[in-house]
Amino acid sequence: MTDRNALDTGKDESQSSWSAALHTMANQIKLMGVLLVILMVFFTFWGKTHLKSRAFQKKLVTSQHLLRIGLYPSYNDAMTHLTERVSGAIKVYRYSPDIRVWYGHLSLFGVAFPDEKGIIRHTPAGYELLEED
């Protein structure tokens, strides 16, 4: 009987150590999830303000790697072609009276970190759609 009690207490100790380890692991996973959500919220707001910054837009407008996609008679025609060409959300910001900067295929809930970007330039001939290579 004494041996059986000794075996039972050993079994209880191993079960309690596994239980403690699983409890610790669950708490660590919860903490990582909370930190992930905080980082996602932070980078969402940072990315939104980054797209709106004039310095970031100026780099795109003055880029030497812009490819002409087409010339369209109206702004709506240019945007229609852009929405057909670029998947996902598209953000457009006015850079100057004749230039608008666009960002497409946005990551992070369609808010920031574009995969495609370019400009729409108003010319006397119409609206020129350009994409960065």
Side-chain angles (χ1 to χ4, degrees), residues 12-45:
D12 289 340
E13 285 178 14
S14 68
Q15 284 179 345
S16 67
S17 65
W18 274 103
S19 176
L22 290 175
H23 182 69
T24 302
M25 187 177 72
N27 285 339
Q28 289 175 345
I29 290 172
K30 287 178 193 174
L31 178 65
M32 287 188 292
V34 168
L35 290 175
L36 178 66
V37 168
I38 290 170
L39 285 173
M40 288 172 61
V41 168
F42 170 76
F43 281 113
T44 298
F45 287 111

Side-chain angles (χ1 to χ4, degrees), residues 1-6:
M1 233 188 217
T2 313
D3 293 332
R4 183 177 276 183
N5 288 339

Side-chain angles (χ1 to χ4, degrees), residues 40-59:
M40 288 172 61
V41 168
F42 170 76
F43 281 113
T44 298
F45 287 111
W46 178 81
K48 283 174 73 172
T49 57
H50 185 65
L51 291 180
K52 292 178 185 178
S53 78
R54 292 292 282 186
F56 186 66
Q57 291 177 0
K58 185 176 182 180
K59 288 179 188 177

